[in-house]
Amino acid sequence: MAAHRKPRQRLTTASAARTAAATLAVAGAATAAVLPGAAHADPAPTARQVKAQVDRLYREAEVATEKYNGAKSEATAAAKSVDALRDEAARRTARLNSARDVLGAYAAAQYRSAGIDPSVQLALSSDPDQYLRRATYAEQAGERRAAEVRSVRRQVAEIAQVRAEAAGKLTELAARQAALKEHRATVRAKLAEARRLLARLTPAERTAYDASETGRGTGHADRSAPRGAVAAPNARAAQAVAFAYSALGKPYVWGATGPHSFDCSGLTQAAWRAAGVSLPRTTYTQINAGQRIPRSQLAPGDLVFFYSGVSHVGLYIGNGRMIHAPRPGAPVRVAPIDEMPFAGATRVA
Protein backbone atom coordinates (compact mmCIF):
# COMPACT_ATOMS: atom_id res chain seq x y z
CA MET A 1 0.00 0.00 0.00
CA ALA A 2 2.87 2.40 0.82
CA ALA A 3 4.43 1.68 -2.56
CA HIS A 4 1.18 2.68 -4.30
CA ARG A 5 0.77 5.97 -2.34
CA LYS A 6 4.08 7.56 -3.39
CA PRO A 7 3.33 7.90 -7.15
CA ARG A 8 -0.07 9.46 -6.42
CA GLN A 9 1.62 12.06 -4.21
CA ARG A 10 4.07 13.03 -6.97
CA LEU A 11 1.24 13.25 -9.51
CA THR A 12 -0.74 15.50 -7.22
CA THR A 13 2.27 17.80 -6.68
CA ALA A 14 2.99 18.14 -10.41
CA SER A 15 -0.67 18.83 -11.12
CA ALA A 16 -0.73 21.54 -8.43
CA ALA A 17 2.38 23.18 -9.92
CA ARG A 18 0.80 23.26 -13.38
CA THR A 19 -2.36 24.75 -11.95
CA ALA A 20 -0.39 27.48 -10.09
CA ALA A 21 1.58 28.35 -13.21
CA ALA A 22 -1.60 28.68 -15.24
CA THR A 23 -3.12 30.90 -12.56
CA LEU A 24 -0.04 33.19 -12.56
CA ALA A 25 -0.13 33.41 -16.35
CA VAL A 26 -3.80 34.42 -16.31
CA ALA A 27 -3.12 36.97 -13.54
CA GLY A 28 -0.17 38.39 -15.48
CA ALA A 29 -2.29 38.77 -18.60
CA ALA A 30 -4.99 40.48 -16.60
CA THR A 31 -2.45 42.87 -15.08
CA ALA A 32 -1.09 43.71 -18.52
CA ALA A 33 -4.60 44.44 -19.69
CA VAL A 34 -5.23 46.73 -16.72
CA LEU A 35 -1.85 48.53 -17.07
CA PRO A 36 -1.50 49.42 -20.74
CA GLY A 37 1.71 51.40 -20.11
CA ALA A 38 3.50 48.19 -19.30
CA ALA A 39 2.75 46.78 -22.71
CA HIS A 40 3.12 49.89 -24.91
CA ALA A 41 5.99 52.41 -25.25
CA ASP A 42 5.38 56.11 -24.69
CA PRO A 43 4.31 57.85 -27.89
CA ALA A 44 7.00 59.78 -29.75
CA PRO A 45 6.93 63.53 -29.07
CA THR A 46 5.44 65.75 -31.74
CA ALA A 47 7.56 68.18 -33.75
CA ARG A 48 6.25 71.03 -31.62
CA GLN A 49 7.19 69.20 -28.42
CA VAL A 50 10.65 68.47 -29.79
CA LYS A 51 11.14 72.15 -30.64
CA ALA A 52 10.07 73.20 -27.14
CA GLN A 53 12.45 70.71 -25.55
CA VAL A 54 15.33 71.67 -27.84
CA ASP A 55 14.80 75.38 -27.14
CA ARG A 56 14.84 74.65 -23.42
CA LEU A 57 18.06 72.63 -23.74
CA TYR A 58 19.73 75.39 -25.75
CA ARG A 59 18.82 77.96 -23.10
CA GLU A 60 20.17 75.72 -20.35
CA ALA A 61 23.33 75.13 -22.39
CA GLU A 62 23.77 78.89 -22.77
CA VAL A 63 23.47 79.39 -19.01
CA ALA A 64 26.15 76.72 -18.53
CA THR A 65 28.25 78.33 -21.28
CA GLU A 66 28.30 81.67 -19.47
CA LYS A 67 29.29 79.89 -16.25
CA TYR A 68 32.02 78.11 -18.23
CA ASN A 69 33.22 81.45 -19.63
CA GLY A 70 33.33 82.92 -16.13
CA ALA A 71 35.21 79.95 -14.69
CA LYS A 72 37.65 80.06 -17.61
CA SER A 73 38.37 83.76 -17.05
CA GLU A 74 38.85 83.20 -13.33
CA ALA A 75 41.11 80.19 -13.95
CA THR A 76 43.21 82.23 -16.39
CA ALA A 77 43.54 85.06 -13.88
CA ALA A 78 44.47 82.63 -11.10
CA ALA A 79 47.09 80.97 -13.32
CA LYS A 80 48.63 84.37 -14.12
CA SER A 81 48.71 85.21 -10.41
CA VAL A 82 50.46 81.93 -9.64
CA ASP A 83 53.06 82.59 -12.34
CA ALA A 84 53.63 86.15 -11.12
CA LEU A 85 54.03 85.02 -7.51
CA ARG A 86 56.45 82.27 -8.55
CA ASP A 87 58.51 84.80 -10.52
CA GLU A 88 58.51 87.16 -7.55
CA ALA A 89 59.60 84.37 -5.22
CA ALA A 90 62.43 83.47 -7.63
CA ARG A 91 63.63 87.11 -7.80
CA ARG A 92 63.52 87.49 -4.04
CA THR A 93 65.33 84.18 -3.57
CA ALA A 94 68.11 85.32 -5.95
CA ARG A 95 68.54 88.56 -3.96
CA LEU A 96 68.52 86.59 -0.72
CA ASN A 97 71.23 84.23 -2.00
CA SER A 98 73.41 87.21 -2.98
CA ALA A 99 73.02 88.72 0.48
CA ARG A 100 73.86 85.39 2.08
CA ASP A 101 77.00 85.09 -0.06
CA VAL A 102 78.20 88.51 1.13
CA LEU A 103 77.56 87.62 4.76
CA GLY A 104 79.29 84.29 4.28
CA ALA A 105 82.41 85.96 2.91
CA TYR A 106 82.42 88.40 5.84
CA ALA A 107 82.04 85.57 8.35
CA ALA A 108 84.95 83.67 6.78
CA ALA A 109 87.19 86.76 6.97
CA GLN A 110 86.30 87.20 10.65
CA TYR A 111 87.11 83.57 11.32
CA ARG A 112 90.57 83.95 9.74
CA SER A 113 91.43 87.06 11.80
CA ALA A 114 89.88 85.91 15.07
CA GLY A 115 93.16 84.48 16.40
CA ILE A 116 94.78 87.88 17.21
CA ASP A 117 93.44 89.98 20.05
CA PRO A 118 92.60 93.57 18.99
CA SER A 119 94.90 94.99 21.74
CA VAL A 120 97.82 92.90 20.42
CA GLN A 121 97.06 94.09 16.89
CA LEU A 122 97.21 97.67 18.19
CA ALA A 123 100.53 97.03 19.97
CA LEU A 124 102.09 95.47 16.90
CA SER A 125 100.82 98.11 14.54
CA SER A 126 103.50 100.43 13.12
CA ASP A 127 100.86 103.16 12.81
CA PRO A 128 98.49 103.12 15.84
CA ASP A 129 96.51 106.05 14.52
CA GLN A 130 95.84 104.22 11.27
CA TYR A 131 94.83 101.11 13.22
CA LEU A 132 92.33 103.06 15.30
CA ARG A 133 90.85 104.56 12.17
CA ARG A 134 90.53 101.09 10.71
CA ALA A 135 88.97 99.84 13.94
CA THR A 136 86.36 102.57 13.67
CA TYR A 137 85.66 101.56 10.09
CA ALA A 138 85.44 97.92 11.21
CA GLU A 139 82.92 98.86 13.90
CA GLN A 140 80.87 100.74 11.33
CA ALA A 141 81.17 97.78 8.98
CA GLY A 142 79.93 95.56 11.78
CA GLU A 143 76.85 97.70 12.14
CA ARG A 144 76.28 97.43 8.41
CA ARG A 145 76.64 93.64 8.64
CA ALA A 146 74.09 93.56 11.43
CA ALA A 147 71.71 95.53 9.23
CA GLU A 148 72.38 93.09 6.41
CA VAL A 149 71.57 90.18 8.71
CA ARG A 150 68.28 91.82 9.63
CA SER A 151 67.59 92.37 5.93
CA VAL A 152 68.24 88.70 5.21
CA ARG A 153 65.82 87.69 7.94
CA ARG A 154 63.18 90.04 6.54
CA GLN A 155 63.72 88.67 3.04
CA VAL A 156 63.30 85.09 4.29
CA ALA A 157 59.97 86.04 5.90
CA GLU A 158 58.81 87.85 2.75
CA ILE A 159 59.67 84.88 0.55
CA ALA A 160 57.70 82.60 2.87
CA GLN A 161 54.72 84.94 2.55
CA VAL A 162 54.96 85.03 -1.25
CA ARG A 163 55.14 81.25 -1.37
CA ALA A 164 52.11 80.98 0.91
CA GLU A 165 50.17 83.31 -1.41
CA ALA A 166 51.21 81.20 -4.38
CA ALA A 167 49.99 78.07 -2.61
CA GLY A 168 46.63 79.76 -1.96
CA LYS A 169 46.36 80.77 -5.61
CA LEU A 170 47.16 77.21 -6.64
CA THR A 171 44.27 75.98 -4.50
CA GLU A 172 42.00 78.60 -6.07
CA LEU A 173 43.20 77.58 -9.54
CA ALA A 174 42.38 73.94 -8.84
CA ALA A 175 38.85 74.94 -7.77
CA ARG A 176 38.37 77.07 -10.92
CA GLN A 177 39.59 74.23 -13.11
CA ALA A 178 37.17 71.82 -11.44
CA ALA A 179 34.29 74.25 -12.04
CA LEU A 180 35.46 74.66 -15.63
CA LYS A 181 35.34 70.92 -16.16
CA GLU A 182 31.88 70.66 -14.60
CA HIS A 183 30.38 73.46 -16.73
CA ARG A 184 32.00 72.06 -19.88
CA ALA A 185 30.42 68.66 -19.21
CA THR A 186 27.02 70.30 -18.62
CA VAL A 187 27.16 72.22 -21.91
CA ARG A 188 28.17 69.15 -23.89
CA ALA A 189 25.45 67.03 -22.30
CA LYS A 190 22.73 69.62 -23.05
CA LEU A 191 23.83 70.01 -26.66
CA ALA A 192 24.09 66.25 -27.16
CA GLU A 193 20.55 65.81 -25.86
CA ALA A 194 19.32 68.56 -28.21
CA ARG A 195 20.96 66.83 -31.18
CA ARG A 196 19.42 63.51 -30.16
CA LEU A 197 15.95 65.06 -30.07
CA LEU A 198 16.39 66.77 -33.44
CA ALA A 199 17.53 63.48 -34.96
CA ARG A 200 14.10 62.00 -34.13
CA LEU A 201 12.35 64.41 -36.49
CA THR A 202 11.40 63.30 -39.95
CA PRO A 203 13.14 65.08 -42.85
CA ALA A 204 10.01 67.17 -43.45
CA GLU A 205 9.77 68.09 -39.76
CA ARG A 206 13.46 69.00 -39.62
CA THR A 207 13.06 71.22 -42.70
CA ALA A 208 10.11 72.97 -41.06
CA TYR A 209 12.09 73.38 -37.83
CA ASP A 210 15.09 74.87 -39.65
CA ALA A 211 12.79 77.19 -41.59
CA SER A 212 11.15 78.42 -38.39
CA GLU A 213 14.56 79.11 -36.87
CA THR A 214 15.75 80.96 -39.97
CA GLY A 215 12.61 83.05 -39.89
CA ARG A 216 13.54 84.39 -36.46
CA GLY A 217 16.40 86.47 -37.89
CA THR A 218 18.48 87.26 -40.92
CA GLY A 219 22.16 87.21 -41.71
CA HIS A 220 22.59 89.97 -44.35
CA ALA A 221 24.96 88.43 -46.86
CA ASP A 222 26.77 91.73 -47.50
CA ARG A 223 27.58 92.10 -43.78
CA SER A 224 27.17 95.86 -43.95
CA ALA A 225 24.71 98.23 -42.33
CA PRO A 226 21.62 98.63 -44.54
CA ARG A 227 20.38 101.97 -45.78
CA GLY A 228 18.30 103.80 -43.23
CA ALA A 229 20.25 102.31 -40.31
CA VAL A 230 20.17 104.37 -37.12
CA ALA A 231 23.38 106.32 -36.56
CA ALA A 232 25.43 105.42 -33.50
CA PRO A 233 25.73 108.15 -30.83
CA ASN A 234 29.56 108.27 -30.95
CA ALA A 235 32.55 106.95 -32.88
CA ARG A 236 33.28 104.04 -30.57
CA ALA A 237 29.71 102.79 -30.63
CA ALA A 238 29.80 103.09 -34.44
CA GLN A 239 32.95 100.94 -34.54
CA ALA A 240 31.35 98.28 -32.32
CA VAL A 241 28.23 98.19 -34.52
CA ALA A 242 30.36 97.97 -37.68
CA PHE A 243 32.24 95.01 -36.22
CA ALA A 244 28.98 93.27 -35.38
CA TYR A 245 27.77 93.71 -38.96
CA SER A 246 31.05 92.26 -40.23
CA ALA A 247 30.45 89.17 -38.09
CA LEU A 248 27.04 88.37 -39.61
CA GLY A 249 26.81 84.80 -40.82
CA LYS A 250 29.71 83.53 -38.70
CA PRO A 251 28.90 80.40 -36.70
CA TYR A 252 27.95 80.18 -33.04
CA VAL A 253 30.49 78.15 -31.07
CA TRP A 254 30.17 78.08 -27.29
CA GLY A 255 33.19 79.58 -25.54
CA ALA A 256 34.38 81.35 -28.72
CA THR A 257 35.41 85.02 -28.91
CA GLY A 258 36.27 85.26 -32.61
CA PRO A 259 37.49 86.01 -35.10
CA HIS A 260 35.89 83.10 -36.96
CA SER A 261 33.15 82.10 -34.48
CA PHE A 262 31.45 83.50 -31.39
CA ASP A 263 29.11 82.82 -28.53
CA CYS A 264 26.79 85.62 -27.43
CA SER A 265 29.04 87.39 -24.93
CA GLY A 266 32.10 86.60 -27.03
CA LEU A 267 30.57 88.59 -29.91
CA THR A 268 29.78 91.68 -27.81
CA GLN A 269 33.20 91.53 -26.17
CA ALA A 270 34.92 91.32 -29.58
CA ALA A 271 32.77 94.13 -31.03
CA TRP A 272 33.71 96.55 -28.28
CA ARG A 273 37.32 95.39 -28.28
CA ALA A 274 37.44 96.52 -31.92
CA ALA A 275 36.33 99.93 -30.66
CA GLY A 276 39.13 100.04 -28.08
CA VAL A 277 36.99 99.14 -25.05
CA SER A 278 37.71 96.12 -22.87
CA LEU A 279 34.61 94.27 -21.66
CA PRO A 280 34.52 91.40 -19.17
CA ARG A 281 33.82 87.95 -20.54
CA THR A 282 30.35 86.95 -19.36
CA THR A 283 26.81 88.26 -19.72
CA TYR A 284 26.38 88.66 -15.98
CA THR A 285 29.55 90.79 -15.74
CA GLN A 286 28.99 92.73 -18.97
CA ILE A 287 25.64 94.03 -17.71
CA ASN A 288 27.56 95.91 -14.99
CA ALA A 289 30.31 97.15 -17.33
CA GLY A 290 28.67 100.47 -18.14
CA GLN A 291 25.72 102.71 -17.40
CA ARG A 292 22.39 100.91 -17.01
CA ILE A 293 19.73 102.47 -19.22
CA PRO A 294 15.99 101.92 -19.71
CA ARG A 295 14.72 100.24 -22.83
CA SER A 296 13.15 103.52 -24.01
CA GLN A 297 16.62 105.11 -24.31
CA LEU A 298 18.36 102.39 -26.33
CA ALA A 299 20.89 103.56 -28.93
CA PRO A 300 23.14 101.63 -31.38
CA GLY A 301 26.07 100.04 -29.59
CA ASP A 302 24.20 99.42 -26.33
CA LEU A 303 24.26 95.91 -24.87
CA VAL A 304 20.85 94.29 -24.49
CA PHE A 305 20.34 91.36 -22.10
CA PHE A 306 17.68 88.66 -21.91
CA TYR A 307 16.10 86.10 -19.56
CA SER A 308 15.83 86.38 -15.81
CA GLY A 309 19.30 84.94 -15.29
CA VAL A 310 20.87 87.44 -17.74
CA SER A 311 22.13 84.50 -19.79
CA HIS A 312 22.03 86.09 -23.27
CA VAL A 313 23.31 89.35 -24.76
CA GLY A 314 23.17 91.13 -28.09
CA LEU A 315 24.40 94.41 -29.56
CA TYR A 316 21.61 96.88 -30.24
CA ILE A 317 21.62 98.44 -33.75
CA GLY A 318 18.44 100.54 -33.66
CA ASN A 319 14.82 100.16 -34.78
CA GLY A 320 14.16 97.53 -32.10
CA ARG A 321 16.79 95.17 -33.53
CA MET A 322 20.08 93.69 -32.43
CA ILE A 323 22.92 91.59 -33.79
CA HIS A 324 23.60 88.50 -31.69
CA ALA A 325 25.01 84.99 -31.74
CA PRO A 326 21.86 82.93 -31.00
CA ARG A 327 22.84 79.31 -30.37
CA PRO A 328 24.55 76.28 -31.95
CA GLY A 329 23.42 75.83 -35.53
CA ALA A 330 22.28 79.45 -35.83
CA PRO A 331 24.90 81.93 -37.12
CA VAL A 332 25.38 85.51 -36.03
CA ARG A 333 22.37 87.43 -37.29
CA VAL A 334 20.02 90.39 -36.95
CA ALA A 335 16.95 89.78 -34.80
CA PRO A 336 14.25 91.78 -33.01
CA ILE A 337 14.90 92.32 -29.33
CA ASP A 338 11.29 91.26 -28.69
CA GLU A 339 11.99 87.63 -29.55
CA MET A 340 13.33 86.96 -26.03
CA PRO A 341 12.38 88.15 -22.53
CA PHE A 342 14.14 91.49 -22.04
CA ALA A 343 16.27 91.71 -18.86
CA GLY A 344 18.08 95.05 -19.15
CA ALA A 345 20.51 97.19 -21.11
CA THR A 346 23.91 98.80 -20.57
CA ARG A 347 25.64 101.67 -22.36
CA VAL A 348 29.34 100.93 -22.55
CA ALA A 349 30.59 104.25 -23.94
Side-chain angles (χ1 to χ4, degrees):
M1 293 295 291
H4 291 292
R5 287 195 190 100
K6 270 190 174 182
R8 279 200 299 272
Q9 188 174 6
R10 284 196 300 269
L11 181 62
T12 302
T13 303
S15 176
R18 285 194 297 272
T19 301
T23 302
L24 288 173
V26 171
T31 302
V34 173
L35 301 174
H40 302 285
D42 291 335
T46 65
R48 180 175 302 210
Q49 290 172 331
V50 167
K51 182 180 184 306
Q53 292 178 45
V54 168
D55 287 347
R56 174 182 56 79
L57 287 166
Y58 279 145
R59 285 197 300 272
E60 292 173 355
E62 190 164 49
V63 171
T65 294
E66 290 305 310
K67 291 180 179 178
Y68 167 86
N69 291 338
K72 185 176 181 181
S73 295
E74 290 167 351
T76 300
K80 288 181 179 178
S81 294
V82 168
D83 291 341
L85 287 168
R86 284 173 170 170
D87 290 344
E88 179 65 17
R91 287 192 295 269
R92 288 176 180 268
T93 300
R95 290 197 296 268
L96 173 62
N97 290 337
S98 296
R100 281 173 167 168
D101 290 342
V102 171
L103 286 176
Y106 176 72
Q110 275 198 326
Y111 177 79
R112 286 193 297 270
S113 63
I116 303 177
D117 185 85
S119 60
V120 176
Q121 293 182 34
L122 176 60
L124 296 176
S125 175
S126 59
D127 188 349
D129 291 337
Q130 182 182 19
Y131 174 82
L132 290 174
R133 286 195 300 272
R134 288 178 178 175
T136 301
Y137 295 152
E139 182 179 358
Q140 293 173 350
E143 292 175 355
R144 288 197 299 273
R145 299 306 175 202
E148 289 174 0
V149 169
R150 290 193 296 271
S151 175
V152 165
R153 288 174 178 168
R154 185 179 65 254
Q155 290 180 59
V156 169
E158 289 172 350
I159 290 172
Q161 181 178 353
V162 170
R163 287 176 175 167
E165 289 179 15
K169 285 294 181 182
L170 278 173
T171 301
E172 178 185 340
L173 176 59
R176 301 303 184 200
Q177 289 173 333
L180 195 64
K181 184 177 180 181
E182 177 185 350
H183 297 318
R184 182 190 295 117
T186 300
V187 173
R188 289 175 173 171
K190 299 290 184 184
L191 296 181
E193 177 64 12
R195 288 192 296 269
R196 186 188 68 79
L197 285 169
L198 289 173
R200 298 173 66 175
L201 296 177
T202 65
E205 289 171 338
R206 184 58 190 267
T207 300
Y209 173 84
D210 292 339
S212 69
E213 288 299 299
T214 303
R216 296 172 69 181
T218 180
H220 291 304
D222 62 2
R223 297 186 180 183
S224 60
R227 291 183 180 180
V230 179
N234 56 63
R236 283 187 170 180
Q239 286 180 291
V241 170
F243 181 94
Y245 271 106
S246 73
L248 288 173
K250 292 187 177 181
Y252 177 103
V253 174
W254 66 273
T257 59
H260 305 298
S261 59
F262 303 89
D263 63 17
C264 69
S265 57
L267 174 63
T268 50
Q269 184 187 50
W272 274 101
R273 186 191 305 123
V277 177
S278 178
L279 287 184
R281 179 63 183 92
T282 64
T283 53
Y284 48 84
T285 51
Q286 287 183 7
I287 196 171
N288 296 317
Q291 177 188 357
R292 298 289 290 273
I293 57 171
R295 181 169 176 165
S296 60
Q297 295 180 14
L298 284 173
D302 292 341
L303 304 181
V304 283
F305 300 88
F306 304 92
Y307 300 108
S308 59
V310 192
S311 59
H312 190 76
V313 62
L315 190 79
Y316 189 70
I317 58 173
N319 295 323
R321 300 182 307 158
M322 65 178 171
I323 293 176
H324 72 139
R327 59 166 181 74
V332 176
R333 63 193 184 191
V334 176
I337 63 173
D338 289 332
E339 75 174 18
M340 290 175 285
F342 187 81
T346 292
R347 181 158 298 158
V348 176

